[in-house]
Amino acid sequence: MKQERTIRVALLGAGSVGSQIARMLLTQRAEYQARCGADLELIGIAVRDVAAPRDVELPQQLLTADAAQLVAAADLVIEVMGGIEPARTLILQAIAGGADVVTANKALLAAHGPELHAAARAAGVQLSYEAAVAGAIPVLRPLLSSLVGDNVQRVMGIVNGSTNYILDSMHRAGKTAPEAMQIASELGYLEADPTLDVEGYDAAQKAAILARLAFHTELPADAVYREGITKVSAADVALAQENEQVIKLLAIIEKTVTAAGEPAVAARVYPALIPASHPLAAVHGGKNAIFVEAENAGELMFYGAGAGGAETASAVLGDVLSAARRMVGGGAPVDPPTHAVLHPLQMTDMTTSYQVRLAVSDAVAVVSELTTLCAAHQIAVVHVAERGSEVALTTVRALEVKQQRLVAEMAELPHVTEVLSVLRSEAVAA
Amino acid sequence: MKQERTIRVALLGAGSVGSQIARMLLTQRAEYQARCGADLELIGIAVRDVAAPRDVELPQQLLTADAAQLVAAADLVIEVMGGIEPARTLILQAIAGGADVVTANKALLAAHGPELHAAARAAGVQLSYEAAVAGAIPVLRPLLSSLVGDNVQRVMGIVNGSTNYILDSMHRAGKTAPEAMQIASELGYLEADPTLDVEGYDAAQKAAILARLAFHTELPADAVYREGITKVSAADVALAQENEQVIKLLAIIEKTVTAAGEPAVAARVYPALIPASHPLAAVHGGKNAIFVEAENAGELMFYGAGAGGAETASAVLGDVLSAARRMVGGGAPVDPPTHAVLHPLQMTDMTTSYQVRLAVSDAVAVVSELTTLCAAHQIAVVHVAERGSEVALTTVRALEVKQQRLVAEMAELPHVTEVLSVLRSEAVAA
């Protein structure tokens, strides 16, 4: 009798996400049984301090400080405590004990993904983590299953809501970066230490996870080039708007080849210019979106909430019920294949387009100097604009190392007083 | 040895989609094996006329006119011939023979979904049809699995590319409806008989399929209220633009209750006004998008190509490789649950907002008459604008039957000479 299967669920963590998961498991139990054929019994919630005050009321008898004992009793473990330890040890314990695992822990997956996957493979259990990338938005499962017959060429994502909120405030409300950060902080969009968000570490972790699902390859998070948004100025935003462009912090993974012609992946996180008409340009506030380019499907976009307790819980429960269906129906877990060997490119070996803003002492003279310099570097200029003591130019796509050399020499030009800013442009076609 | 499992694949149909599926199966065979653990062997392609000329070259020895014999030899059958028969009979034959089935046939699913699902359930085979709704866009699998732990409240889709192309041309290129239809026809966006598209039948079929996945209920396509785009005029479009709105043909399914408080579904297809800032408003040309509102996930959108040979083939192959993974790994197929009992509402029992354009002989007098009339009907007006001999007004949300009665009486007002147009507005909040 399918309907009588009971699955003992352990929940690790009762923060904003965990408490929503508990609420949904407790209130939707009968409906979930109708949907997945199993009775999901929440047998306990591991927390650091059983007596701590909580925003959402949870049944006191479910709370425990002994996570290891709870894990030992479970068929399925949900990990939403975050951080590397003790999450890693508890997940490995769950896997070794034969329990399926659902986690939202992007930092752990980015740092220890291969270890966790290998353990799950060896134990024959399902490891799922839809909530680890772009919160509520279904994107990992579509990449794993819906697009498994296609060849994904490029994924461009707005995967960090805090930084999108900040850049969007600068664009739409005319805020300066410090003002926008202050508001984001007051609204709870930023952690006490905002470095993980604003310096792009969080986005780089998500890029690494996306590469596994989209490109069937292992990609360490530290192989993702990373630049944050702290250098983006109000003047950069104003210039972007003049040119009908928008600045977004993008996580980009792209299939390419090395100089020697070997298959490679160009993975990077940086603030970049995109056309205002691009679907990603309309992603406002704290929302996330993943833009996918596939050989056959063409352009796809997945849009929604990238964070939030209930939103993230929705993605976790999707994984939980899917895992439950497999426990009821039997069969092997789905293990994302990683047979593809793609060499991670260094940033200097990637192909980029630059927008450079220069302070100049003589605009006419500088334009002439720039023309000569760019010609010498064999990098064409697609757009140049002068306004008073400022000149802005955009280069064609070329090797990043060549763009860097070009900018270094621009700084030495007789009539250039300062390089005000350098931004990469994803608006210039290859 | 997982890796040595061979799956014999039969392809029914070699049109624009079928020929792309054949190409992908033949050229990606080794890569597909690495991704799903099975060797997908295309054993034959059923066509009406083996000797007919084809756009894409297919191996002659794979072509056969004997579809039934081909189906009998297959482990997995892909049906992309379209139409009800012989597709229905062949799919039932495949299922009875124990083969998994992947189809893109929305008309067949809308008309015979329950029969096909029941047969697949009885035979223990997987029936999949991601390509039947919104072409390349992964939406059915996300609803079935990623959102299975959430409660989807409303789905609003642009699911017909032809009509979106026509309406978009009217908005963005200032075309009249006949001009836009002529261009759409020349570009191959419209069938020889465009009725299925422009009268909303195609969108209604997709709404019925979406209801099964989103709401876990059976919904016959003829229980979906349906109005096409033929009455949308250039004047309607101009007024929408003035009000920062856009007219889109929407397929909407919404959870609601009957007057007696019973759970119900309001399913309808009609051209409607949405705010220009709505994510669906930015869906241009022949693109599709599905906007989903869920209790926990909030607002999600899935965007991409709704048609095209390679695009649709991408979705079909996603289903094929997912089915192959299950054949290799074992376990029960996933059968979309339909335990929810939702009464399909009649259009007259749904709640709508109306935008009415009136030709008038005296604008000032009419506004006074309208105020009195709307007050008598207890339907407030949220917006009214007069321009020369025309008055346009938008009502609050109220029962459709009341809106209809109100408009009938407007037509009888002393200073109203004609009701020029009636459009529903999804821009007015509840």
Side-chain angles (χ1 to χ4, degrees):
Chain A
M1 288 280 126
K2 271 187 180 187
Q3 290 77 353
E4 292 176 15
R5 169 79 191 254
T6 295
I7 293 174
R8 288 163 300 168
V9 178
L11 176 59
L12 310 182
S16 61
V17 177
S19 55
Q20 293 297 322
I21 293 171
R23 172 184 62 79
M24 289 161 74
L25 282 169
L26 294 170
T27 60
Q28 303 291 308
R29 190 164 170 178
E31 177 63 21
Y32 284 171
Q33 181 158 8
R35 292 188 191 176
C36 74
D39 180 24
L40 297 172
E41 182 192 0
L42 181 58
I43 60 166
I45 308 171
V47 293
R48 243 171 304 182
D49 177 3
V50 171
R54 305 185 183 283
D55 293 344
V56 177
E57 208 176 318
L58 297 172
Q60 194 65 30
Q61 74 278 12
L62 288 180
L63 300 181
T64 173
D66 191 341
Q69 192 183 39
L70 178 61
V71 165
D75 302 312
L76 192 155
V77 174
I78 303 171
E79 186 275 306
V80 287
M81 57 209 309
I84 303 296
E85 287 295 352
R88 176 180 154 275
T89 300
L90 290 167
I91 288 176
L92 288 172
Q93 181 201 336
I95 290 171
D100 281 3
V101 171
V102 176
T103 174
N105 195 329
K106 56 198 173 278
L108 178 63
L109 288 160
H112 298 280
E115 178 189 22
L116 300 179
H117 277 285
R121 201 175 303 127
V125 304
Q126 181 72 51
L127 171 67
S128 311
Y129 42 85
E130 180 66 77
V133 178
I137 308 172
V139 61
L140 299 187
R141 192 178 298 274
L143 287 170
L144 175 65
S145 297
S146 309
L147 288 162
V148 62
D150 209 328
N151 291 315
V152 176
Q153 308 286 9
R154 194 157 81 127
V155 178
M156 253 191 348
I158 296 173
V159 292
N160 182 275
S162 315
T163 47
N164 198 58
Y165 180 87
I166 292 168
L167 292 173
D168 197 43
S169 300
M170 293 173 71
H171 274 278
R172 301 213 298 170
K175 305 287 180 197
T176 64
E179 285 169 356
M181 278 192 63
Q182 180 61 34
I183 298 168
S185 176
E186 284 164 12
L187 290 174
Y189 272 117
L190 279 179
E191 306 291 330
D193 172 10
T195 310
L196 277 181
D197 290 328
V198 299
E199 295 298 351
Y201 289 95
D202 173 82
Q205 290 169 352
K206 290 162 179 171
I209 297 170
L210 284 166
R212 175 185 290 264
L213 280 299
F215 296 160
H216 316 109
T217 193
E218 301 276 10
L219 180 71
D222 57 13
V224 180
Y225 176 80
R226 185 192 47 71
E227 254 176 53
I229 63 165
T230 48
K231 283 185 289 188
V232 177
S233 69
D236 292 329
V237 168
L239 179 62
Q241 287 179 315
E242 257 174 52
N243 295 333
E244 297 193 341
Q245 297 181 331
V246 175
I247 303 170
K248 293 288 190 189
L249 182 70
L250 299 179
I252 305 176
I253 54 170
E254 190 170 10
K255 266 189 208 154
T256 180
V257 288
T258 63
E262 298 293 318
V265 53
R268 68 271 195 191
V269 170
Y270 48 57
L273 293 155
I274 56 173
S277 60
H278 193 284
L280 287 174
V283 178
H284 299 299
K287 294 280 189 183
N288 279 198
I290 318 278
F291 189 78
V292 176
E293 294 170 53
E295 184 185 340
N296 297 290
E299 298 178 347
L300 300 169
M301 193 171 80
F302 304 82
Y303 164 95
E311 292 84 349
T312 306
S314 169
V316 169
L317 267 301
D319 279 348
V320 169
L321 270 75
S322 295
R325 277 181 180 155
R326 188 191 68 88
M327 288 193 200
V328 172
V334 176
D335 182 33
T338 50
H339 57 282
V341 180
L342 298 179
H343 181 78
L345 282 195
Q346 295 292 313
M347 187 66 229
T348 43
D349 295 332
M350 297 185 200
T351 302
T352 55
S353 160
Y354 265 30
Q355 178 197 273
V356 186
R357 280 176 47 237
L358 304 167
V360 301
S361 57
D362 180 335
V364 175
V366 154
V367 169
S368 160
E369 289 167 10
L370 285 169
T371 307
T372 308
L373 181 67
C374 291
H377 283 260
Q378 294 185 294
I379 294 181
V381 171
V382 290
H383 185 257
V384 61
E386 43 175 294
R387 195 177 43 184
S389 59
E390 207 178 304
V391 166
L393 83 165
T394 304
T395 61
V396 291
R397 292 178 75 80
L399 267 188
E400 168 81 10
V401 68
K402 292 187 182 171
Q403 307 272 16
Q404 290 180 3
R405 276 190 219 124
L406 176 64
V407 172
E409 293 192 23
M410 278 181 195
E412 305 302 319
L413 288 176
H415 295 91
V416 167
T417 52
E418 193 187 349
V419 176
L420 296 169
S421 79
V422 176
L423 270 176
R424 295 186 186 82
S425 173
E426 297 295 326
V428 174
Chain B
M1 290 281 124
K2 272 185 179 187
Q3 290 76 352
E4 292 176 14
R5 170 79 191 255
T6 294
I7 293 174
R8 289 162 299 169
V9 178
L11 176 59
L12 311 181
S16 62
V17 178
S19 56
Q20 292 297 322
I21 293 170
R23 171 185 63 78
M24 290 161 73
L25 282 170
L26 294 170
T27 60
Q28 303 292 307
R29 190 163 169 179
E31 177 63 22
Y32 284 172
Q33 181 158 8
R35 292 188 191 176
C36 74
D39 181 25
L40 297 172
E41 182 192 0
L42 180 59
I43 60 167
I45 308 172
V47 293
R48 243 173 302 183
D49 177 2
V50 172
R54 304 186 183 283
D55 293 343
V56 177
E57 208 176 317
L58 297 172
Q60 194 65 30
Q61 74 278 9
L62 289 180
L63 301 180
T64 173
D66 191 341
Q69 192 183 38
L70 178 61
V71 166
D75 302 312
L76 192 156
V77 173
I78 303 171
E79 186 275 307
V80 286
M81 58 208 310
I84 303 297
E85 288 294 353
R88 175 179 155 275
T89 299
L90 289 166
I91 287 176
L92 289 172
Q93 181 202 336
I95 290 171
D100 280 3
V101 171
V102 176
T103 174
N105 195 328
K106 55 199 173 278
L108 178 62
L109 287 160
H112 298 280
E115 178 189 22
L116 299 179
H117 276 285
R121 201 174 303 128
V125 303
Q126 182 72 50
L127 170 67
S128 311
Y129 42 86
E130 181 64 76
V133 177
I137 309 172
V139 61
L140 300 187
R141 191 179 298 273
L143 287 170
L144 175 65
S145 297
S146 309
L147 288 162
V148 62
D150 209 328
N151 291 315
V152 176
Q153 308 285 10
R154 192 157 83 128
V155 178
M156 255 193 345
I158 295 173
V159 292
N160 182 276
S162 315
T163 47
N164 197 58
Y165 180 87
I166 292 167
L167 292 172
D168 196 43
S169 299
M170 293 173 70
H171 274 277
R172 300 213 299 170
K175 304 287 179 196
T176 64
E179 284 167 358
M181 277 191 64
Q182 180 61 32
I183 298 168
S185 176
E186 284 163 12
L187 289 173
Y189 273 117
L190 281 179
E191 306 290 331
D193 173 11
T195 310
L196 276 182
D197 290 328
V198 298
E199 295 297 353
Y201 289 96
D202 174 82
Q205 290 170 351
K206 290 163 178 171
I209 296 170
L210 283 166
R212 175 186 291 264
L213 279 299
F215 295 160
H216 315 109
T217 193
E218 301 274 11
L219 180 72
D222 58 14
V224 180
Y225 176 79
R226 184 192 48 70
E227 256 176 52
I229 62 164
T230 49
K231 282 185 288 188
V232 177
S233 68
D236 292 328
V237 168
L239 179 62
Q241 287 178 315
E242 258 174 52
N243 295 332
E244 299 193 340
Q245 297 181 331
V246 175
I247 303 170
K248 292 288 188 188
L249 182 69
L250 299 178
I252 305 175
I253 55 171
E254 191 170 10
K255 265 189 206 154
T256 180
V257 288
T258 63
E262 297 292 319
V265 53
R268 69 271 196 192
V269 170
Y270 49 59
L273 293 156
I274 57 173
S277 60
H278 193 284
L280 287 174
V283 177
H284 299 300
K287 295 280 189 184
N288 279 197
I290 317 279
F291 189 79
V292 176
E293 294 170 52
E295 183 185 341
N296 297 290
E299 298 179 348
L300 300 168
M301 192 171 79
F302 304 83
Y303 164 94
E311 292 85 348
T312 307
S314 170
V316 169
L317 267 301
D319 279 348
V320 168
L321 269 76
S322 295
R325 279 182 179 154
R326 187 190 69 87
M327 287 193 200
V328 172
V334 176
D335 182 34
T338 51
H339 56 282
V341 180
L342 298 179
H343 181 77
L345 283 194
Q346 295 293 314
M347 186 66 230
T348 42
D349 295 332
M350 296 185 201
T351 302
T352 55
S353 159
Y354 266 28
Q355 178 197 274
V356 187
R357 281 176 47 237
L358 304 167
V360 301
S361 55
D362 179 337
V364 175
V366 155
V367 169
S368 161
E369 288 167 10
L370 285 170
T371 307
T372 309
L373 181 67
C374 290
H377 283 261
Q378 293 184 296
I379 295 183
V381 171
V382 291
H383 186 256
V384 61
E386 45 175 293
R387 195 176 44 187
S389 59
E390 208 179 304
V391 166
L393 83 165
T394 305
T395 61
V396 291
R397 293 178 74 80
L399 266 188
E400 168 82 11
V401 67
K402 292 187 182 172
Q403 307 272 16
Q404 290 180 2
R405 276 191 218 125
L406 176 64
V407 172
E409 293 192 23
M410 280 181 195
E412 304 303 319
L413 289 176
H415 296 92
V416 167
T417 50
E418 194 186 348
V419 176
L420 295 169
S421 80
V422 176
L423 270 176
R424 294 185 187 84
S425 173
E426 297 295 327
V428 175

